[in-house]
Amino acid sequence: MQPLIDHARRFGQRPAGGIVPPYGTGNPSGEAATIEYAVEDVVVCGHSHCGAVGALVQGEDLCAVPAVRDRLAHAAPDGAPGRADDPAVTDAVHGHVLARLLRPRSHPCVGRRLAAGRLRLHGWFHEVHTGAVLEYRPESDAFEAL
């Protein structure tokens, strides 16, 4: 009899705005449980025309959607106000991806796995209008085609 183990350990987690709350913020989250159980590679992916980051950049009033507003409070994109197709929003999404790459590092299991070389963190940006996927490359400090 084989044990019930997912050898690939691939799990998807797609929270609103791609936001993972900081580690130890009170109640355990689904994101924290996924990180603890399933990490071998962590891919943080943002996309063009992102409504969540666009709402933040544009300073939209989110009082009618308090759960979304509170969730987005964990995000801090950079960029000037602009339209969803404005380069300022793209720049903000790039910044959001990079900020989100730091968040998993606050989880103790991630720090241990990084130190042991058993985990890799990746930052991706999907251009919805072209289908292109760009990966953040620390050596060039830029998003480049995969």
Side-chain angles (χ1 to χ4, degrees), residues 4-96:
L4 296 174
I5 297 174
D6 179 357
H7 295 287
R9 297 186 74 175
R10 294 182 194 137
F11 290 84
Q13 183 76 3
R14 191 171 188 268
I19 297 165
V20 175
Y23 179 77
T25 57
N27 295 328
S29 67
E31 296 86 4
T34 299
I35 287 169
E36 285 180 357
Y37 181 73
V39 294
E40 288 177 3
D41 281 277
V42 173
V43 177
V44 172
C45 189
H47 61 87
S48 62
H49 307 88
C50 178
V53 174
L56 291 173
V57 170
Q58 296 170 27
E60 291 182 19
D61 179 5
L62 300 174
C63 290
V65 285
V68 172
R69 180 198 61 220
D70 294 349
R71 185 76 169 186
L72 293 178
H74 292 291
D78 294 326
R83 301 176 324 273
D85 61 347
D86 189 332
V89 174
T90 296
D91 292 344
V93 173
H94 285 180
H96 184 55

Side-chain angles (χ1 to χ4, degrees), residues 47-49 125-132:
H47 61 87
S48 62
H49 307 88
F125 177 77
H126 176 229
E127 292 179 344
V128 173
H129 54 288
T130 66

